[in-house]
Amino acid sequence: MLIQRVLAPVLEANCYVVAAGPGRPALVVDPGAGSAGAVRGALERHGLVVGAVAVTHGHPDHLWDAAEVAGDAPVLVAEADLPRLDDPAAWLGSPMADLFRSLAATPWRTPAHPAVLAPGRHELVDGVVVEAVPAPGHTPGSTLLVLVGAARGEPGPHGTPPDADVVLTGDVLFAGSVGRTDLPGGDPHAHNATLRAIAARFPDSTTILPGHGPTSSVGAERAANPYLAAALRV
């Protein structure tokens, strides 16, 4: 599986281009503000076309360029965060909404084809099977995107991915940190429950591709992430 990271210039959000291989349709995850040009470059380098866009949550730094990147392709988001697609900056509240709009190079455009990303397994584009796992706390609709069989080439036992190799965590879990819960819609208690569920479900070998910062693993975070450790003590 091809996984290409693109860095959005606004708030340095990670965007990921995922495809079964060169020349295949691509799933673009979290195209943040200013990422569209770099996404196009990644697509062209590998001979890809956008088949769908998925967002891990409804904050503007993770979906501002969704309409430009998707075109006529669907933009998928969990139902709880779907209303944020009307104007994601507005959900931050003032003055943060105005600050974000000033940082973004372009005005917000609502995607042409928004759609609900339901929990469970989906082949979002040909050859890319994703399990959407609800992970509320950072936002109500925060979602883990498990790339089923990304490294091993096959799903886990009985079609479930508890031993999946790659999980896109959005702003739920970072290398050495976790997402904030003090923005509108955040819930620290739900977030701690989500962190405990991650630690219980995924083995240490699982690779974490976060919404900001470097790649990590569940094992590394279990060993050294103070916020995860605190959640596990609750």
mmCIF file of all heavy atoms in Angstrom, residues 178-215:
data_model
loop_
_atom_site.group_PDB
_atom_site.id
_atom_site.type_symbol
_atom_site.label_atom_id
_atom_site.label_comp_id
_atom_site.label_asym_id
_atom_site.label_seq_id
_atom_site.Cartn_x
_atom_site.Cartn_y
_atom_site.Cartn_z
ATOM 1 N N VAL A 178 -1.437 14.371 23.194
ATOM 2 C CA VAL A 178 -2.788 14.051 22.748
ATOM 3 C C VAL A 178 -3.466 15.342 22.310
ATOM 4 O O VAL A 178 -2.979 16.441 22.578
ATOM 5 C CB VAL A 178 -3.618 13.383 23.869
ATOM 6 C CG1 VAL A 178 -3.011 12.053 24.287
ATOM 7 C CG2 VAL A 178 -3.776 14.312 25.078
ATOM 8 N N GLY A 179 -4.601 15.207 21.646
ATOM 9 C CA GLY A 179 -5.337 16.383 21.208
ATOM 10 C C GLY A 179 -5.998 17.114 22.372
ATOM 11 O O GLY A 179 -6.352 16.512 23.393
ATOM 12 N N ARG A 180 -6.186 18.397 22.202
ATOM 13 C CA ARG A 180 -6.817 19.208 23.234
ATOM 14 C C ARG A 180 -8.319 18.940 23.280
ATOM 15 O O ARG A 180 -8.922 18.529 22.285
ATOM 16 C CB ARG A 180 -6.547 20.696 22.969
ATOM 17 C CG ARG A 180 -7.063 21.189 21.639
ATOM 18 C CD ARG A 180 -6.525 22.570 21.291
ATOM 19 N NE ARG A 180 -7.014 23.586 22.209
ATOM 20 C CZ ARG A 180 -6.669 24.887 22.128
ATOM 21 N NH1 ARG A 180 -5.828 25.294 21.166
ATOM 22 N NH2 ARG A 180 -7.143 25.765 22.986
ATOM 23 N N THR A 181 -8.914 19.218 24.415
ATOM 24 C CA THR A 181 -10.355 18.984 24.577
ATOM 25 C C THR A 181 -11.084 20.233 25.053
ATOM 26 O O THR A 181 -12.243 20.154 25.460
ATOM 27 C CB THR A 181 -10.604 17.848 25.589
ATOM 28 O OG1 THR A 181 -9.982 18.173 26.838
ATOM 29 C CG2 THR A 181 -10.047 16.538 25.067
ATOM 30 N N ASP A 182 -10.417 21.399 24.970
ATOM 31 C CA ASP A 182 -11.029 22.622 25.471
ATOM 32 C C ASP A 182 -11.704 23.456 24.394
ATOM 33 O O ASP A 182 -12.242 24.527 24.685
ATOM 34 C CB ASP A 182 -9.982 23.468 26.199
ATOM 35 C CG ASP A 182 -8.821 23.879 25.301
ATOM 36 O OD1 ASP A 182 -8.537 23.152 24.322
ATOM 37 O OD2 ASP A 182 -8.187 24.926 25.584
ATOM 38 N N LEU A 183 -11.719 22.968 23.155
ATOM 39 C CA LEU A 183 -12.434 23.661 22.091
ATOM 40 C C LEU A 183 -13.897 23.224 22.101
ATOM 41 O O LEU A 183 -14.237 22.182 22.671
ATOM 42 C CB LEU A 183 -11.791 23.353 20.734
ATOM 43 C CG LEU A 183 -10.359 23.857 20.553
ATOM 44 C CD1 LEU A 183 -9.795 23.373 19.220
ATOM 45 C CD2 LEU A 183 -10.302 25.379 20.639
ATOM 46 N N PRO A 184 -14.797 24.019 21.477
ATOM 47 C CA PRO A 184 -16.216 23.647 21.480
ATOM 48 C C PRO A 184 -16.431 22.220 20.976
ATOM 49 O O PRO A 184 -15.917 21.827 19.930
ATOM 50 C CB PRO A 184 -16.840 24.673 20.525
ATOM 51 C CG PRO A 184 -15.972 25.888 20.668
ATOM 52 C CD PRO A 184 -14.579 25.336 20.829
ATOM 53 N N GLY A 185 -17.180 21.435 21.750
ATOM 54 C CA GLY A 185 -17.423 20.041 21.411
ATOM 55 C C GLY A 185 -16.443 19.069 22.026
ATOM 56 O O GLY A 185 -16.644 17.858 21.938
ATOM 57 N N GLY A 186 -15.357 19.572 22.636
ATOM 58 C CA GLY A 186 -14.393 18.694 23.274
ATOM 59 C C GLY A 186 -14.928 18.123 24.581
ATOM 60 O O GLY A 186 -15.745 18.754 25.257
ATOM 61 N N ASP A 187 -14.455 16.941 24.928
ATOM 62 C CA ASP A 187 -14.935 16.251 26.135
ATOM 63 C C ASP A 187 -13.770 15.448 26.718
ATOM 64 O O ASP A 187 -13.427 14.386 26.199
ATOM 65 C CB ASP A 187 -16.099 15.326 25.782
ATOM 66 C CG ASP A 187 -16.696 14.638 26.994
ATOM 67 O OD1 ASP A 187 -16.007 14.462 28.014
ATOM 68 O OD2 ASP A 187 -17.883 14.238 26.913
ATOM 69 N N PRO A 188 -13.136 15.949 27.789
ATOM 70 C CA PRO A 188 -11.962 15.252 28.319
ATOM 71 C C PRO A 188 -12.267 13.851 28.832
ATOM 72 O O PRO A 188 -11.417 12.954 28.726
ATOM 73 C CB PRO A 188 -11.481 16.171 29.455
ATOM 74 C CG PRO A 188 -12.650 17.040 29.783
ATOM 75 C CD PRO A 188 -13.423 17.197 28.513
ATOM 76 N N HIS A 189 -13.438 13.643 29.395
ATOM 77 C CA HIS A 189 -13.779 12.305 29.900
ATOM 78 C C HIS A 189 -13.921 11.308 28.747
ATOM 79 O O HIS A 189 -13.423 10.176 28.819
ATOM 80 C CB HIS A 189 -15.059 12.370 30.725
ATOM 81 C CG HIS A 189 -14.964 13.260 31.922
ATOM 82 N ND1 HIS A 189 -14.144 12.973 32.993
ATOM 83 C CD2 HIS A 189 -15.565 14.454 32.201
ATOM 84 C CE1 HIS A 189 -14.247 13.943 33.890
ATOM 85 N NE2 HIS A 189 -15.089 14.848 33.431
ATOM 86 N N ALA A 190 -14.593 11.739 27.679
ATOM 87 C CA ALA A 190 -14.719 10.873 26.499
ATOM 88 C C ALA A 190 -13.352 10.613 25.871
ATOM 89 O O ALA A 190 -13.074 9.507 25.400
ATOM 90 C CB ALA A 190 -15.662 11.508 25.480
ATOM 91 N N HIS A 191 -12.499 11.639 25.874
ATOM 92 C CA HIS A 191 -11.174 11.481 25.276
ATOM 93 C C HIS A 191 -10.338 10.466 26.055
ATOM 94 O O HIS A 191 -9.652 9.618 25.462
ATOM 95 C CB HIS A 191 -10.463 12.833 25.227
ATOM 96 C CG HIS A 191 -9.327 12.869 24.259
ATOM 97 N ND1 HIS A 191 -8.401 13.875 24.244
ATOM 98 C CD2 HIS A 191 -8.957 12.014 23.273
ATOM 99 C CE1 HIS A 191 -7.504 13.647 23.301
ATOM 100 N NE2 HIS A 191 -7.820 12.525 22.694
ATOM 101 N N ASN A 192 -10.392 10.520 27.376
ATOM 102 C CA ASN A 192 -9.665 9.541 28.177
ATOM 103 C C ASN A 192 -10.179 8.126 27.927
ATOM 104 O O ASN A 192 -9.391 7.175 27.863
ATOM 105 C CB ASN A 192 -9.780 9.891 29.661
ATOM 106 C CG ASN A 192 -8.828 10.992 30.077
ATOM 107 O OD1 ASN A 192 -7.808 11.225 29.427
ATOM 108 N ND2 ASN A 192 -9.156 11.680 31.162
ATOM 109 N N ALA A 193 -11.486 7.984 27.778
ATOM 110 C CA ALA A 193 -12.046 6.669 27.465
ATOM 111 C C ALA A 193 -11.553 6.183 26.112
ATOM 112 O O ALA A 193 -11.240 4.997 25.936
ATOM 113 C CB ALA A 193 -13.573 6.720 27.492
ATOM 114 N N THR A 194 -11.461 7.087 25.143
ATOM 115 C CA THR A 194 -10.941 6.730 23.825
ATOM 116 C C THR A 194 -9.483 6.275 23.921
ATOM 117 O O THR A 194 -9.090 5.281 23.303
ATOM 118 C CB THR A 194 -11.065 7.928 22.867
ATOM 119 O OG1 THR A 194 -12.443 8.101 22.519
ATOM 120 C CG2 THR A 194 -10.267 7.713 21.593
ATOM 121 N N LEU A 195 -8.677 6.987 24.685
ATOM 122 C CA LEU A 195 -7.267 6.608 24.835
ATOM 123 C C LEU A 195 -7.135 5.230 25.479
ATOM 124 O O LEU A 195 -6.287 4.416 25.064
ATOM 125 C CB LEU A 195 -6.528 7.655 25.663
ATOM 126 C CG LEU A 195 -6.392 9.049 25.026
ATOM 127 C CD1 LEU A 195 -5.795 10.032 26.021
ATOM 128 C CD2 LEU A 195 -5.564 8.995 23.760
ATOM 129 N N ARG A 196 -7.957 4.952 26.465
ATOM 130 C CA ARG A 196 -7.921 3.622 27.085
ATOM 131 C C ARG A 196 -8.320 2.543 26.082
ATOM 132 O O ARG A 196 -7.748 1.439 26.067
ATOM 133 C CB ARG A 196 -8.840 3.586 28.304
ATOM 134 C CG ARG A 196 -8.330 4.431 29.470
ATOM 135 C CD ARG A 196 -9.089 4.131 30.746
ATOM 136 N NE ARG A 196 -10.472 4.589 30.679
ATOM 137 C CZ ARG A 196 -10.891 5.798 31.003
ATOM 138 N NH1 ARG A 196 -10.015 6.721 31.416
ATOM 139 N NH2 ARG A 196 -12.161 6.120 30.943
ATOM 140 N N ALA A 197 -9.291 2.857 25.231
ATOM 141 C CA ALA A 197 -9.727 1.884 24.221
ATOM 142 C C ALA A 197 -8.621 1.611 23.204
ATOM 143 O O ALA A 197 -8.435 0.462 22.765
ATOM 144 C CB ALA A 197 -10.981 2.390 23.514
ATOM 145 N N ILE A 198 -7.878 2.646 22.828
ATOM 146 C CA ILE A 198 -6.758 2.451 21.902
ATOM 147 C C ILE A 198 -5.711 1.537 22.521
ATOM 148 O O ILE A 198 -5.222 0.595 21.892
ATOM 149 C CB ILE A 198 -6.138 3.814 21.526
ATOM 150 C CG1 ILE A 198 -7.104 4.622 20.659
ATOM 151 C CG2 ILE A 198 -4.798 3.619 20.789
ATOM 152 C CD1 ILE A 198 -6.654 6.052 20.408
ATOM 153 N N ALA A 199 -5.356 1.824 23.768
ATOM 154 C CA ALA A 199 -4.330 1.019 24.443
ATOM 155 C C ALA A 199 -4.767 -0.428 24.604
ATOM 156 O O ALA A 199 -3.954 -1.351 24.529
ATOM 157 C CB ALA A 199 -4.006 1.628 25.802
ATOM 158 N N ALA A 200 -6.071 -0.647 24.812
ATOM 159 C CA ALA A 200 -6.579 -2.005 24.998
ATOM 160 C C ALA A 200 -6.679 -2.762 23.679
ATOM 161 O O ALA A 200 -6.482 -3.986 23.652
ATOM 162 C CB ALA A 200 -7.950 -1.949 25.666
ATOM 163 N N ARG A 201 -6.960 -2.065 22.601
ATOM 164 C CA ARG A 201 -7.261 -2.747 21.349
ATOM 165 C C ARG A 201 -6.036 -3.049 20.501
ATOM 166 O O ARG A 201 -5.924 -4.125 19.917
ATOM 167 C CB ARG A 201 -8.240 -1.896 20.534
ATOM 168 C CG ARG A 201 -8.485 -2.456 19.156
ATOM 169 C CD ARG A 201 -9.579 -1.736 18.425
ATOM 170 N NE ARG A 201 -9.774 -2.356 17.122
ATOM 171 C CZ ARG A 201 -10.801 -2.104 16.329
ATOM 172 N NH1 ARG A 201 -11.736 -1.259 16.705
ATOM 173 N NH2 ARG A 201 -10.907 -2.702 15.164
ATOM 174 N N PHE A 202 -5.114 -2.097 20.409
ATOM 175 C CA PHE A 202 -4.041 -2.213 19.425
ATOM 176 C C PHE A 202 -2.739 -2.676 20.062
ATOM 177 O O PHE A 202 -2.332 -2.178 21.106
ATOM 178 C CB PHE A 202 -3.828 -0.877 18.716
ATOM 179 C CG PHE A 202 -5.017 -0.421 17.937
ATOM 180 C CD1 PHE A 202 -5.811 0.613 18.392
ATOM 181 C CD2 PHE A 202 -5.363 -1.048 16.744
ATOM 182 C CE1 PHE A 202 -6.915 1.034 17.678
ATOM 183 C CE2 PHE A 202 -6.460 -0.633 16.014
ATOM 184 C CZ PHE A 202 -7.250 0.404 16.487
ATOM 185 N N PRO A 203 -2.039 -3.600 19.422
ATOM 186 C CA PRO A 203 -0.757 -4.067 19.960
ATOM 187 C C PRO A 203 0.332 -3.002 19.814
ATOM 188 O O PRO A 203 0.192 -2.041 19.055
ATOM 189 C CB PRO A 203 -0.442 -5.296 19.102
ATOM 190 C CG PRO A 203 -1.164 -5.061 17.826
ATOM 191 C CD PRO A 203 -2.419 -4.323 18.197
ATOM 192 N N ASP A 204 1.417 -3.202 20.546
ATOM 193 C CA ASP A 204 2.502 -2.220 20.550
ATOM 194 C C ASP A 204 3.084 -1.980 19.163
ATOM 195 O O ASP A 204 3.603 -0.893 18.878
ATOM 196 C CB ASP A 204 3.622 -2.678 21.493
ATOM 197 C CG ASP A 204 3.241 -2.550 22.963
ATOM 198 O OD1 ASP A 204 2.181 -1.947 23.254
ATOM 199 O OD2 ASP A 204 4.004 -3.051 23.811
ATOM 200 N N SER A 205 3.021 -2.964 18.279
ATOM 201 C CA SER A 205 3.620 -2.834 16.950
ATOM 202 C C SER A 205 2.820 -1.938 16.017
ATOM 203 O O SER A 205 3.290 -1.587 14.932
ATOM 204 C CB SER A 205 3.773 -4.213 16.313
ATOM 205 O OG SER A 205 2.505 -4.849 16.196
ATOM 206 N N THR A 206 1.617 -1.547 16.405
ATOM 207 C CA THR A 206 0.761 -0.737 15.540
ATOM 208 C C THR A 206 1.388 0.629 15.286
ATOM 209 O O THR A 206 1.743 1.352 16.219
ATOM 210 C CB THR A 206 -0.627 -0.553 16.175
ATOM 211 O OG1 THR A 206 -1.203 -1.831 16.411
ATOM 212 C CG2 THR A 206 -1.540 0.245 15.255
ATOM 213 N N THR A 207 1.507 0.993 14.026
ATOM 214 C CA THR A 207 2.021 2.310 13.645
ATOM 215 C C THR A 207 0.918 3.346 13.767
ATOM 216 O O THR A 207 -0.216 3.128 13.334
ATOM 217 C CB THR A 207 2.552 2.291 12.210
ATOM 218 O OG1 THR A 207 3.680 1.417 12.137
ATOM 219 C CG2 THR A 207 2.980 3.680 11.751
ATOM 220 N N ILE A 208 1.271 4.494 14.346
ATOM 221 C CA ILE A 208 0.348 5.618 14.478
ATOM 222 C C ILE A 208 0.771 6.707 13.497
ATOM 223 O O ILE A 208 1.909 7.180 13.529
ATOM 224 C CB ILE A 208 0.374 6.173 15.910
ATOM 225 C CG1 ILE A 208 -0.210 5.166 16.888
ATOM 226 C CG2 ILE A 208 -0.384 7.498 15.988
ATOM 227 C CD1 ILE A 208 -0.003 5.568 18.336
ATOM 228 N N LEU A 209 -0.152 7.099 12.629
ATOM 229 C CA LEU A 209 0.043 8.250 11.752
ATOM 230 C C LEU A 209 -0.862 9.362 12.275
ATOM 231 O O LEU A 209 -2.065 9.361 12.028
ATOM 232 C CB LEU A 209 -0.319 7.899 10.298
ATOM 233 C CG LEU A 209 0.457 6.747 9.658
ATOM 234 C CD1 LEU A 209 0.010 6.565 8.205
ATOM 235 C CD2 LEU A 209 1.957 6.995 9.717
ATOM 236 N N PRO A 210 -0.304 10.315 13.023
ATOM 237 C CA PRO A 210 -1.128 11.322 13.690
ATOM 238 C C PRO A 210 -1.445 12.513 12.798
ATOM 239 O O PRO A 210 -0.874 12.693 11.720
ATOM 240 C CB PRO A 210 -0.247 11.738 14.865
ATOM 241 C CG PRO A 210 1.137 11.614 14.326
ATOM 242 C CD PRO A 210 1.111 10.425 13.383
ATOM 243 N N GLY A 211 -2.357 13.353 13.302
ATOM 244 C CA GLY A 211 -2.757 14.542 12.563
ATOM 245 C C GLY A 211 -1.743 15.669 12.603
ATOM 246 O O GLY A 211 -1.797 16.585 11.786
ATOM 247 N N HIS A 212 -0.820 15.618 13.545
ATOM 248 C CA HIS A 212 0.281 16.582 13.642
ATOM 249 C C HIS A 212 1.504 15.823 14.146
ATOM 250 O O HIS A 212 1.390 14.885 14.943
ATOM 251 C CB HIS A 212 -0.027 17.718 14.624
ATOM 252 C CG HIS A 212 -1.205 18.557 14.265
ATOM 253 N ND1 HIS A 212 -1.117 19.675 13.466
ATOM 254 C CD2 HIS A 212 -2.509 18.431 14.601
ATOM 255 C CE1 HIS A 212 -2.325 20.210 13.327
ATOM 256 N NE2 HIS A 212 -3.184 19.473 14.017
ATOM 257 N N GLY A 213 2.682 16.250 13.705
ATOM 258 C CA GLY A 213 3.908 15.693 14.241
ATOM 259 C C GLY A 213 4.312 14.374 13.613
ATOM 260 O O GLY A 213 3.707 13.907 12.645
ATOM 261 N N PRO A 214 5.352 13.748 14.184
ATOM 262 C CA PRO A 214 5.953 12.573 13.562
ATOM 263 C C PRO A 214 5.155 11.296 13.801
ATOM 264 O O PRO A 214 4.325 11.202 14.708
ATOM 265 C CB PRO A 214 7.322 12.479 14.243
ATOM 266 C CG PRO A 214 7.091 13.074 15.601
ATOM 267 C CD PRO A 214 6.103 14.186 15.379
ATOM 268 N N THR A 215 5.471 10.303 12.996
ATOM 269 C CA THR A 215 4.921 8.968 13.154
ATOM 270 C C THR A 215 5.398 8.363 14.471
ATOM 271 O O THR A 215 6.493 8.649 14.949
ATOM 272 C CB THR A 215 5.378 8.084 11.976
ATOM 273 O OG1 THR A 215 4.877 8.656 10.772
ATOM 274 C CG2 THR A 215 4.872 6.660 12.104
#
